[in-house]
């Protein structure tokens, strides 16, 4: 891409602070200056932590996953299966070459030590999983991550924007992390293009719009998290969605960033809409028609 320089295989030590603002990054012990630094380094953002912008999550959730290869002759599902149980969920995703990914998300208090025993007990308790996995080959070690959520006091600081999960991430249970990152990135691109070389008073305006844009997605995630803690109620609601596919489709649209939680369709994708308030003075092409 013209005007873009990509550097890989280097270590970012932390933010470069000068006169109370982020002036770039320290990379391999050397300063790398920029007018604006965008930290998109994930839910456990080291940049956010170094700047003292972390907020400890109220609840600690843990994620873990392993890959298996089914034995020859075993039929492979073409569906992503989700098993919701009290305190945890299992997600089973089909992959090429008879491989499947088994992932678990759980409240920390639902785990026992070692976690390998807990993970195996979970899938053994599911008849649809126990039989094929007993004869399958586990081809990766079990890996885990905690906490799953990341929170920030704010998404901007002088000279800096936190983007994607680094700016705050509720939980991966609704699978909207890429949606959140892409929507925020396009929003930021519009602001940067309009304010290149100007003062940074637009940063709080951008952060407020980013948070408003993602509010419905985060509300939905909180609702699904609450249901995961009440599996009996969740089962009844899922049974109801079987008979109301339009509602289920609507909720998928909220997670994908193309619908409001209340009030129906946005008409066009959020990614394609005019993305800044009039006072920001950004001119955009007319939005695309997106189904």
């Amino acid at each position: 891409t013209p005007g873009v320089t990509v550097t890989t295989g280097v270590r970012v030590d932390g933010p470069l602070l000068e006169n109370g603002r982020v002036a770039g990054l320290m990379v391999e012990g050397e300063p790398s200056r920029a007018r604006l630094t965008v930290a998109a380094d994930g839910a456990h953002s080291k940049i956010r932590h170094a700047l003292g912008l972390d907020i400890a999550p109220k609840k600690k959730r843990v994620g873990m996953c392993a890959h298996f290869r089914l034995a020859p002759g075993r039929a492979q599902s073409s569906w992503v299966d989700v098993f919701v149980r009290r305190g945890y969920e299992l997600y089973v995703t089909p992959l090429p070459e008879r491989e499947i990914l088994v992932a678990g998300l759980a409240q920390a208090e639902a785990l026992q030590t070692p976690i390998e025993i807990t993970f195996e007990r979970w899938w053994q308790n599911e008849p649809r999983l126990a039989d094929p996995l007993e004869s399958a080959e586990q081809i990766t070690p079990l890996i885990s991550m905690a906490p799953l959520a990341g929170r920030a006091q704010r998404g901007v600081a002088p000279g800096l924007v936190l983007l994607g999960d680094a700016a705050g991430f509720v939980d991966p249970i609704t699978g909207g992390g890429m949606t959140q990152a892409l929507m925020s990135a396009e929003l930021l691109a519009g602001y940067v293009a309009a304010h290149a070389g100007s003062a940074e008073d637009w940063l709080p305006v951008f952060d407020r719009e980013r948070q408003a844009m993602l509010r419905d997605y985060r509300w939905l995630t909180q609702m699904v998290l609450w249901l995961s803690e009440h599996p009996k109620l969740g089962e009844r609601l899922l049974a109801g969605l079987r008979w109301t596919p339009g509602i289920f489709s609507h909720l998928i649209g909220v997670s994908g960033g193309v619908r409001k939680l209340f009030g129906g369709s946005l008409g066009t994708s959020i990614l394609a809409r005019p993305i800044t308030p009039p006072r920001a003075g950004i001119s955009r092409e007319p939005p695309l028609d997106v189904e």
Side-chain angles (χ1 to χ4, degrees):
T1 301
V4 175
T5 300
V6 177
T7 304
T8 62
V10 297
R11 183 188 72 251
V12 174
D13 302 312
L16 173 64
L17 300 176
E18 294 180 349
N19 301 319
R21 70 184 302 275
V22 177
L25 297 170
M26 292 298 297
V27 181
E28 301 282 3
E30 298 293 331
S32 178
R33 288 179 170 79
R35 286 180 295 177
L36 180 69
T37 299
V38 179
D41 54 342
H44 299 163
S45 171
K46 293 181 179 180
I47 303 297
R48 184 185 68 215
H49 178 74
L51 294 172
L53 297 176
D54 270 330
I55 299 177
K58 295 180 180 179
K59 291 186 177 182
K60 187 175 181 181
R61 295 247 295 166
V62 178
M64 63 197 72
C65 68
H67 290 245
F68 296 81
R69 179 163 288 120
L70 297 176
R74 287 285 186 181
Q76 184 179 29
S77 172
S78 60
W79 297 88
V80 174
D81 293 317
V82 182
F83 301 86
V84 181
R85 300 295 179 253
R86 184 169 297 279
Y88 68 93
E89 315 95 53
L90 285 177
Y91 302 82
V92 184
T93 305
L95 299 171
E97 300 180 359
R98 304 193 323 278
E99 187 177 327
I100 60 172
L101 168 68
V102 182
L105 304 181
Q107 301 293 346
E109 56 268 23
L111 297 177
Q112 297 177 0
T113 303
I115 63 170
E116 289 83 359
I117 294 177
T118 301
F119 183 69
E120 184 172 342
R121 175 171 53 82
W122 286 347
W123 60 256
Q124 285 181 340
N125 287 339
E126 305 296 339
R128 291 173 55 189
L129 286 180
D131 185 48
L133 289 185
E134 286 286 2
S135 58
E137 175 191 5
Q138 183 173 335
I139 57 177
T140 67
L142 181 68
I143 60 173
S144 61
M145 184 182 81
L148 294 180
R151 300 179 62 203
Q153 296 178 23
R154 58 186 183 277
V156 297
L160 173 88
V161 171
L162 298 172
L163 195 69
D165 292 355
F169 185 51
V170 179
D171 193 273
I173 194 170
T174 48
M178 289 302 298
T179 292
Q180 174 175 310
L182 292 170
M183 291 166 60
S184 300
E186 189 186 38
L187 182 67
L188 176 61
Y191 272 92
V192 170
H195 297 278
S198 64
E200 296 179 347
D201 54 359
W202 59 271
L203 287 174
V205 180
F206 157 78
D207 197 38
R208 286 194 296 271
E209 186 175 359
R210 180 191 63 82
Q211 294 186 50
M213 180 177 66
L214 299 172
R215 188 172 295 126
D216 282 4
Y217 159 72
R218 292 182 172 175
W219 281 349
L220 175 64
T221 302
Q222 295 285 10
M223 290 164 55
V224 176
L225 277 174
W226 185 85
L227 285 174
S228 74
E229 298 173 3
H230 302 81
K232 294 298 182 182
L233 176 59
E235 288 175 8
R236 289 196 290 269
L237 288 175
L238 285 173
L241 289 176
R242 180 188 298 272
W243 304 105
T244 54
I247 295 178
F248 184 66
S249 177
H250 176 80
L251 295 177
I252 295 297
V254 175
S255 181
V258 296
R259 289 181 179 271
K260 296 179 181 179
L261 187 56
F262 304 104
S265 172
L266 294 177
T268 61
S269 166
I270 289 179
L271 289 173
R273 69 179 176 84
I275 57 175
T276 52
R279 63 179 177 276
I282 295 180
S283 174
R284 295 292 306 272
E285 294 294 326
L288 301 174
D289 290 328
V290 179
E291 295 184 353

